Amino acid sequence: MKVKIWFFLPSAALLFTAAPVIPAFTDTAIAAPFHARRWEEKFKQLNLTDAQKAQIQQIREAARQQMDEVLTPAQKEQMRIAAGKRQKPNLNLSEEQKAKMRAIRENSRIQMEAILTPEQKQKLQEMRLQRQQRRQQKQF
């Protein structure tokens, strides 16, 4: 019996010491690669400079932090759980939270577009139109 306890003790210790790290790793491991690939593709299509890429990353990070402040602890936990399951969370946002989120997204969109050259803005508009067309085709 003592042998079995000693066998599982290191595993249990590792589990409890790693537990605080697991949620953060799960979010990054699942969400970040998908979003990073999507943004990298946009960067390539728009032919952004390294300075523009850095500015956009800063704007996105600031927006993410602002949105995080809008959410309650329970909603943040729901997001963490949904990310671990690769599902879309059901946050049940209040109307006030929805309005704040819309304002944050709109503000970050305006800031990002201000960084772009006229040619890049035109290309972005074309990309948006193509995305809308693809969405409409999927509906039919």
Side-chain angles (χ1 to χ4, degrees):
M1 187 62 131
K2 286 184 181 180
V3 174
K4 289 181 183 177
I5 292 173
W6 286 110
F7 178 74
F8 289 109
L9 190 58
S11 300
L14 179 63
L15 177 65
F16 289 116
T17 57
V21 178
I22 291 171
F25 177 77
T26 303
D27 290 345
T28 309
I30 292 172
F34 171 74
H35 293 294
R37 283 192 309 270
R38 192 173 77 198
W39 277 97
E40 285 176 16
E41 184 62 30
K42 286 183 183 181
F43 290 169
K44 286 179 187 176
Q45 290 179 1
L46 292 174
N47 197 24
L48 298 177
T49 65
D50 289 339
Q52 288 174 314
K53 291 176 188 178
Q55 288 176 304
I56 288 175
Q57 290 299 90
Q58 289 174 346
I59 293 168
R60 290 184 67 231
E61 182 59 35
R64 189 175 308 135
Q65 289 174 354
Q66 291 172 355
M67 287 184 177
D68 193 50
E69 292 172 4
V70 171
L71 300 175
T72 66
Q75 290 168 328
K76 291 176 190 177
E77 178 66 12
Q78 179 67 23
M79 283 185 64
R80 187 191 66 75
I81 291 169
K85 295 179 179 180
R86 295 182 178 217
Q87 296 175 342
K88 185 176 178 181
N90 183 7
L91 300 178
N92 295 320
L93 296 172
S94 69
E95 290 303 316
E96 181 180 355
Q97 286 175 311
K98 289 178 185 178
K100 287 180 181 179
M101 294 284 202
R102 273 194 295 284
I104 293 167
R105 280 193 301 272
E106 180 65 17
N107 184 36
S108 64
R109 185 188 62 77
I110 290 168
Q111 289 177 9
M112 284 188 264
E113 285 183 5
I115 294 168
L116 302 177
T117 65
E119 294 83 15
Q120 290 169 329
K121 289 178 184 178
Q122 178 64 34
K123 178 65 177 173
L124 181 62
Q125 184 63 27
E126 291 171 10
M127 291 166 56
R128 286 179 177 156
L129 288 173
Q130 290 172 354
R131 187 178 66 226
Q132 283 179 342
Q133 290 172 350
R134 284 192 307 267
R135 285 183 180 170
Q136 289 175 350
Q137 289 174 353
K138 287 182 181 179
Q139 289 178 353
F140 296 113

